[in-house]
């Protein structure tokens, strides 16, 4: 190797070493009163907003990003916080009070702590998911979670915006110009646990967080103890001509496995492509669903599509359908919520389903 090559190799090594030394955080304590925060983002991550998988490794890559960028919080002696998140380190001068949530999971988590965000992003069908409607008041709808209205968000003068790291990368700069922003992943039960713990500390709600999670995990354990065997289950959205299968790394799949089920669809062994813009699901045809052949099938979708497939002779060869082990559910609870409150609702429906 010549001297020029050695020089550039040395520069590359030093860059990697310095990058590995930065961004370390630690801390536990809760925050104080609210004040307008200031943000400093020091690291970039890939934006997976609308990227489809070319092979089975794409969702695995998203999961690795999630683990690498696990959120944490540092509480400083001056009452400020540094939140390590998928978009870097965000500094908040005080515990925030005016929060905008751009994903259902974050809304679920805040509401479970007794906090209503000033701004909430919803779906095309609902501003607030049905199971939360009687728990939130005095909020402003900021548009669909995939394309929130930046002008409305700005008008609320929030002191914190919580974004989805897999969805909102394209508007990162716009959000950060409005208010301090943290970006979090929502791809599995572990993500929810980590996000919820950070928010509990940031909002001075550690006790409330601990109580919610203690009750939730106790509920999961009780459900697990009452399920016999290991039911093989799959959660599927039915469409007119195809299906969306939730992946093994998704929130609903990891929650079902925690309660004692075996999640049937393993994306690492499938040749099916990940759905563009939908990190947690794969787009499959009827043949693939029949080959997976789950013993228990949780499904949702338009009633006309449900009726069509339930009357399809090939669909009826699936073990779950033959044995009447099909549960039709509300997608707001099973697919969108991704928080402790929606999880509690899932447990209520799952136990009688797996034990009948």
């Amino acid at each position: 190797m010549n001297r020029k090559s050695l020089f550039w190799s040395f520069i590359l090594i030093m860059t990697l070493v310095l990058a590995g030394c930065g961004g370390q955080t630690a801390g536990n304590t809760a925050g104080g009163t609210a004040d307008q925060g200031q943000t400093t983002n020091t690291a970039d991550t890939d934006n997976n907003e609308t990227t489809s998988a070319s092979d089975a490794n794409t969702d695995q890559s998203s999961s690795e990003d999630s683990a690498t960028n696990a959120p944490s919080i540092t509480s400083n002696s001056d009452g400020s916080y540094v939140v390590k998140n998928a978009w870097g380190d965000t500094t908040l001068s005080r515990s925030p009070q005016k929060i905008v949530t751009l994903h259902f999971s974050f809304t679920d988590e805040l509401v479970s702590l007794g906090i209503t965000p000033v701004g909430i992003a919803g779906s095309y069908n609902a501003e607030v998911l049905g199971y939360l409607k009687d728990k939130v008041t005095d909020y402003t709808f900021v548009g669909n979670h995939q394309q929130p209205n930046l002008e409305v968000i700005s008008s609320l003068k929030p002191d914190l915006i919580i974004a989805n790291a897999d969805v909102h990368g394209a508007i990162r700069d716009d959000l950060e110009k409005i208010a301090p922003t943290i970006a979090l992943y929502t791809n599995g039960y572990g993500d929810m646990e980590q996000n919820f713990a950070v928010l509990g500390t940031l909002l001075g709600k550690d006790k409330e967080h601990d109580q919610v999670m203690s009750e939730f995990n106790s509920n999961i354990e009780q459900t697990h103890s009452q399920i016999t065997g290991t039911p093989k289950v799959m959660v599927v959205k039915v469409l007119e001509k195809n299906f969306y299968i939730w992946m093994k790394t998704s929130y609903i799949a990891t929650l079902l496995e925690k309660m004692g089920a075996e999640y049937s669809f393993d994306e690492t062994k499938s040749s099916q492509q990940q759905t563009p813009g939908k990190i947690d699901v794969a787009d499959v045809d009827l043949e693939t669903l029949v080959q997976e052949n789950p013993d228990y099938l949780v499904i949702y979708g338009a009633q006309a599509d449900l009726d069509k497939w339930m009357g399809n002779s090939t669909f009826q060869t699936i073990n779950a359908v033959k044995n009447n082990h099909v549960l039709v559910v509300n997608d707001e609870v099973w697919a969108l919520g991704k928080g402790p409150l929606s999880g509690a609702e899932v447990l209520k429906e799952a136990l009688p389903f797996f034990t009948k």
Side-chain angles (χ1 to χ4, degrees):
M1 182 179 294
N2 58 38
R3 286 188 295 176
K4 183 175 181 181
S5 297
L6 285 171
F7 171 79
W8 286 112
S9 297
F10 174 78
I11 293 296
L12 176 60
I13 292 170
M14 289 303 297
T15 300
L16 293 173
V17 169
L18 289 173
C21 293
Q24 296 179 0
T25 60
N28 304 310
T29 60
T33 59
D35 191 10
Q36 179 71 19
Q38 295 182 345
T39 180
T40 303
N41 286 333
T42 59
D44 291 329
T45 58
D46 292 335
N47 171 33
N48 299 317
E49 185 188 12
T50 57
T51 304
S52 64
S54 59
D55 55 40
N57 293 326
T58 297
D59 191 69
Q60 180 180 354
S61 176
S62 177
S63 298
E64 290 172 352
D65 287 343
S66 178
T68 301
N69 293 284
S72 63
I73 184 168
T74 300
S75 307
N76 300 318
S77 58
D78 63 356
S80 66
Y81 298 89
V82 178
V83 180
K84 176 186 174 185
N85 62 95
W87 291 350
D89 290 349
T90 299
T91 300
L92 294 155
S93 61
R94 291 291 185 271
S95 178
Q97 286 189 341
K98 298 176 65 177
I99 305 170
V100 171
T101 53
L102 299 184
H103 188 269
F104 312 108
S105 178
F106 313 139
T107 302
D108 184 306
E109 290 160 14
L110 262 62
V111 172
S112 74
L113 295 174
I115 297 173
T116 296
V118 297
I120 295 175
S123 69
Y124 289 113
N125 297 320
E127 292 185 6
V128 176
L129 300 183
Y131 71 95
L132 292 177
K133 281 184 177 180
D134 63 346
K135 297 180 175 65
V136 298
T137 57
D138 195 22
Y139 70 92
T140 298
F141 178 56
V142 300
N144 182 272
H145 71 285
Q146 293 178 332
Q147 294 179 316
N149 189 314
L150 297 173
E151 291 184 4
V152 174
I153 295 173
S154 181
S155 71
L156 297 173
K157 301 186 184 306
D159 45 26
L160 177 66
I161 299 171
I162 310 177
N164 187 316
D166 280 323
V167 176
H168 299 121
I171 58 172
R172 171 181 175 177
D173 290 343
D174 296 316
L175 295 173
E176 291 175 347
K177 289 176 183 177
I178 296 172
T181 302
I182 60 175
L184 305 171
Y185 289 98
T186 61
N187 298 323
Y189 186 88
D191 287 339
M192 186 278 295
E193 280 187 310
Q194 295 168 346
N195 299 342
F196 194 30
V198 167
L199 294 177
T201 297
L202 179 62
L203 300 173
K205 296 284 186 176
D206 283 313
K207 291 182 179 179
E208 290 84 349
H209 161 271
D210 293 347
Q211 181 177 350
V212 170
M213 287 306 298
S214 176
E215 293 176 357
F216 189 22
N217 286 320
S218 176
N219 197 358
I220 291 173
E221 292 173 4
Q222 291 178 12
T223 302
H224 194 325
S225 68
Q226 297 178 68
I227 294 177
T228 302
T230 309
K232 184 180 177 183
V233 64
M234 185 181 294
V235 180
V236 177
K237 178 179 182 178
V238 299
L239 302 170
E240 181 181 1
K241 297 180 180 180
N242 58 323
F243 307 87
Y244 286 164
I245 298 180
W246 284 89
M247 293 185 171
K248 194 177 183 69
T249 52
S250 66
Y251 174 80
I252 189 59
T254 51
L255 176 58
L256 288 169
E257 292 205 325
K258 284 183 71 69
M259 72 174 67
E262 174 189 348
Y263 197 75
S264 178
F265 185 70
D266 185 349
E267 59 270 21
T268 63
K269 299 177 181 178
S270 173
S271 62
Q272 295 298 321
Q273 285 197 350
Q274 191 174 34
T275 306
K278 297 180 181 295
I279 300 302
D280 297 289
V281 298
D283 187 346
V284 306
D285 54 19
L286 177 59
E287 180 181 1
T288 299
L289 188 58
V290 171
Q291 289 175 349
E292 291 290 336
N293 198 29
D295 296 324
Y296 290 80
L297 186 61
V298 176
I299 61 175
Y300 62 93
Q303 189 60 52
D305 295 329
L306 289 167
D307 293 341
K308 169 191 172 182
W309 290 114
M310 290 302 292
N312 181 287
S313 58
T314 303
F315 186 83
Q316 291 175 355
T317 64
I318 300 171
N319 282 341
V321 182
K322 288 191 298 184
N323 297 321
N324 196 30
H325 288 163
V326 178
L327 178 64
V328 180
V329 299
N330 184 328
D331 65 325
E332 293 185 354
V333 172
W334 283 74
L336 300 180
K338 296 185 179 183
L341 294 177
S342 67
E345 295 296 319
V346 168
L347 293 175
K348 289 179 184 178
E349 296 184 46
L351 181 57
F353 177 54
F354 288 131
T355 55
K356 69 178 181 179

